[in-house]
Amino acid sequence: MPRRPKRRKRSWTLPIAIVALIAGIAGWEVVRRGASAAQDTLDLGYEILARHPHDPTSYTQGLYFEDGILVEGTGRRGQSVLRKVEIDSGNVIEEVVLPSQYFGEGIATVDSRIFQLTWTSGLGFIYDKDSLRQIGQFSYPGEGWGLTTDGQDLIMSDGTAMLRFLDPDSFAEVRRVEVRGPAGPVIDLNELEYVNGSVYANIWFSNTIVEIDPLSGAVIREIDFTPLSEETRPTTSDAVLNGIAFDPARERFFLTGKLWPTMFELRLESARR
């Protein structure tokens, strides 16, 4: 989504602040290097297992793992694709390009089909999982953001606090649930991944991923991935955390962001004990 939050004005009221900033650069660099070396072992609720290359021009909107490869959907009109990616190298195995008028969004697979949302067109595409050949379309009201599946229904986000559950054959809405945390409804739910009875969701324009109970909509926990964002050193406000995939065979997650050069492989501590 290309919308931007309002920028906060910054003002330096004391010249000494500038002097202090310059004087602190050398010391900060030492601290930064030490933190980078140690962050893999910090008690953050997750452990970084490996880092893999990721296309830094990829505006990641959807991500999932299956059959040993990552499947990624990207956004921006004229640049949206659906692709299969080799994890270790980051090389694209094959891809299909969306027509230029569509802004690609979340993706999910059910049986032999891949489903892909678009942002404001109210239209989704269906592909053959093996060949990536387009085999159908479907429509929905409102915006399309994230998409995943619990193995039975498609689960869709639309930028609000709602998760919609859709029948993958008729695309009828089966039910919906409002996601709520301690402070109330949680909006800007973006890329989704269903894992072991929970839905994990990126919160757009933040470094937070929330784990959600899909039955009640209650937020089970929030996980702060600021160290990952800091490590990638995003050079544009668009380069935010977005993209969650899970490998059930090895119980590992893959996380990346829009325009990030790195795909992080990590393990999360379980919130359900």
Side-chain angles (χ1 to χ4, degrees):
M1 286 58 65
R3 297 191 294 270
R4 309 285 196 279
K6 293 182 179 178
R7 296 182 182 273
R8 296 180 181 175
K9 294 182 180 179
R10 298 177 183 176
S11 61
W12 293 97
T13 57
L14 296 174
I16 192 170
I18 299 175
V19 175
L21 176 65
I22 296 173
I25 288 176
W28 162 247
E29 181 64 16
V30 172
V31 173
R32 185 191 64 77
R33 288 175 181 172
S36 178
Q39 73 178 37
D40 291 6
T41 58
L42 290 176
D43 184 15
L44 298 170
Y46 58 88
E47 174 190 5
I48 298 176
L49 304 176
R51 294 166 176 82
H52 307 283
H54 179 246
D55 180 359
T57 68
S58 178
Y59 199 76
T60 305
Q61 298 288 83
L63 193 71
Y64 72 84
F65 178 91
E66 190 172 62
D67 299 330
I69 62 171
L70 287 165
V71 182
E72 181 178 30
T74 73
R76 290 181 165 171
R77 290 184 175 89
Q79 301 178 39
S80 296
V81 303
L82 175 68
R83 58 174 49 152
K84 295 180 180 180
V85 180
E86 187 179 68
I87 295 172
D88 292 337
S89 67
N91 291 337
V92 175
I93 300 170
E94 57 184 320
E95 71 175 23
V96 59
V97 180
L98 274 66
S100 61
Q101 68 266 36
Y102 296 112
F103 190 115
E105 286 283 349
I107 60 173
T109 181
V110 178
D111 299 326
S112 61
R113 297 166 294 172
I114 298 174
F115 299 85
Q116 182 176 33
L117 301 176
T118 59
W119 179 27
T120 56
S121 302
L123 183 69
F125 299 105
I126 310 170
Y127 306 89
D128 175 77
K129 184 174 69 175
D130 296 327
S131 67
L132 297 189
R133 178 177 59 87
Q134 186 181 330
I135 57 175
Q137 298 180 354
F138 63 101
S139 60
Y140 47 87
E143 296 185 357
W145 285 44
L147 194 67
T148 188
T149 178
D150 58 8
Q152 177 175 333
D153 297 323
L154 292 169
I155 306 172
M156 171 184 172
S157 65
D158 58 12
T160 69
M162 292 293 180
L163 291 179
R164 306 184 210 172
F165 293 73
L166 309 177
D167 183 284
D169 296 315
S170 68
F171 307 107
E173 184 174 312
V174 177
R175 68 181 182 95
R176 63 172 57 196
V177 65
E178 184 181 46
V179 176
R180 298 183 66 89
V186 180
I187 64 170
D188 290 335
L189 300 172
N190 205 353
E191 216 273 311
L192 308 174
E193 182 79 355
Y194 183 88
V195 180
N196 297 332
S198 293
V199 174
Y200 290 80
N202 284 110
I203 304 300
W204 182 60
F205 246 102
S206 82
N207 293 319
T208 300
I209 288 176
V210 290
E211 183 181 355
I212 304 161
D213 181 340
L215 296 178
S216 67
V219 171
I220 298 168
R221 62 170 166 174
E222 299 181 1
I223 311 169
D224 182 5
F225 289 97
T226 296
L228 273 59
S229 178
E230 291 176 342
E231 181 178 329
T232 62
R233 297 186 182 184
T235 58
T236 171
S237 61
D238 277 355
V240 295
L241 178 72
N242 201 54
I244 317 167
F246 181 67
D247 173 11
R250 297 175 60 181
E251 296 188 340
R252 55 180 177 168
F253 283 81
F254 296 96
L255 264 63
T256 192
K258 306 174 191 285
L259 312 175
W260 281 20
T262 306
M263 179 76 66
F264 292 91
E265 178 184 335
L266 49 87
R267 181 167 291 115
L268 295 184
E269 293 179 1
S270 175
R272 295 177 182 267
R273 298 185 184 281

